[in-house]
Amino acid sequence: MYPKAFAALVEQLQHLPGVGAKTAERYAFHVLDWDETEVDAFIESLADIKTNIHICQVCGNLSEADQCAICEDHSRDRHVICVVQSPRDVVAMEKTQEFHGVYHVLNGVISTAKGILPDELNIHSLLDRIDENTKEIIIATNPTVEGETTALYLAKLLEPYQLTITRIAHGLPMGGHLDYADELTLIKALEGRKKM
């Protein structure tokens, strides 16, 4: 029905989350309206993200260097580490402008249904980061079954350390995700965190 190149673009656009066939077609028609400069800039940004984005060697966040901007920021409170599931959650937390500590990105959660075990998450490097200056670990995984399982696992794993271990309050609905929450909800969740 469509020319081969157009159909191929529609097919690729459908790989994006929440993009079905109709939306992909609408996007493809929109791309057709772009001038050559806009198309080149789009192609370049796609290539750049695959070439220049790395995982921070300290926390597991996205970075263009060995360390992310947050890990390199010496004004951050390194006594408090907020553990999140993904880099999207770091962005969501930073939008609140209420948390001034550092992060640790697990890059996933424990999920027996999907065969994801603790060894496949970025947990060992979290333990390596804990030293005599670390005072609190905030566990900010999503309030889903997998997020709760991961939070309980981490709390148990961190018990031997002389730390305060807290969980963000459930100002977030069960089954919700940090990156979809508004700033006020996240601020309340941080304020109401409780010891595990």
Side-chain angles (χ1 to χ4, degrees):
M1 177 173 182
Y2 288 120
K4 189 176 174 182
F6 188 90
L9 177 58
V10 169
E11 184 180 329
Q12 292 306 311
L13 289 169
Q14 287 183 71
H15 289 106
L16 295 170
V19 177
K22 290 285 183 195
T23 302
E25 285 177 6
R26 200 167 58 246
Y27 289 167
F29 277 115
H30 187 75
V31 169
L32 280 176
D33 292 337
W34 286 354
D35 63 33
E36 195 134 344
T37 307
E38 290 173 305
V39 171
D40 289 343
F42 186 71
I43 292 168
E44 186 177 330
S45 66
L46 286 176
D48 278 352
I49 200 168
K50 292 307 285 179
T51 305
N52 297 326
I53 300 296
H54 309 286
I55 299 297
C56 175
Q57 293 177 354
V58 176
C59 73
N61 193 13
L62 297 179
S63 178
E64 289 184 354
D66 290 340
Q67 290 187 22
C68 70
I70 294 170
C71 287
E72 286 183 344
D73 183 353
H74 296 292
S75 69
R76 305 290 297 215
D77 180 2
R78 298 184 186 286
H79 298 101
V80 182
I81 301 172
C82 182
V83 179
V84 296
Q85 289 179 208
S86 76
R88 282 187 299 232
D89 300 331
V90 172
V91 172
M93 295 293 278
E94 283 298 286
K95 284 180 182 175
T96 70
Q97 298 181 8
E98 290 291 315
F99 181 68
H100 306 291
V102 293
Y103 296 93
H104 192 82
V105 181
L106 297 173
N107 287 309
V109 284
I110 298 167
S111 174
T112 52
K114 295 178 183 173
I116 302 170
L117 302 174
D119 288 344
E120 298 172 57
L121 303 179
N122 187 25
I123 294 174
H124 292 296
S125 61
L126 171 63
L127 302 178
D128 292 341
R129 291 179 71 183
I130 297 171
D131 60 24
E132 65 279 353
N133 296 318
T134 309
K135 299 214 178 345
E136 181 182 5
I137 303 284
I138 301 170
I139 301 174
T141 53
N142 291 327
T144 60
V145 172
E146 293 86 359
E148 288 297 314
T149 301
T150 305
L152 291 171
Y153 176 83
L154 288 173
K156 192 77 173 157
L157 189 65
L158 295 168
E159 262 179 18
Y161 295 86
Q162 298 299 313
L163 305 165
T164 300
I165 302 164
T166 58
R167 176 90 168 106
I168 58 170
H170 292 291
L172 300 168
M174 285 302 288
H177 295 275
L178 287 176
D179 56 332
Y180 291 122
D182 65 309
E183 286 85 359
L184 184 59
T185 301
L186 285 171
I187 288 168
K188 292 301 176 194
L190 270 173
E191 286 173 354
R193 68 185 184 268
K194 60 186 190 294
K195 190 170 183 175
M196 292 184 73

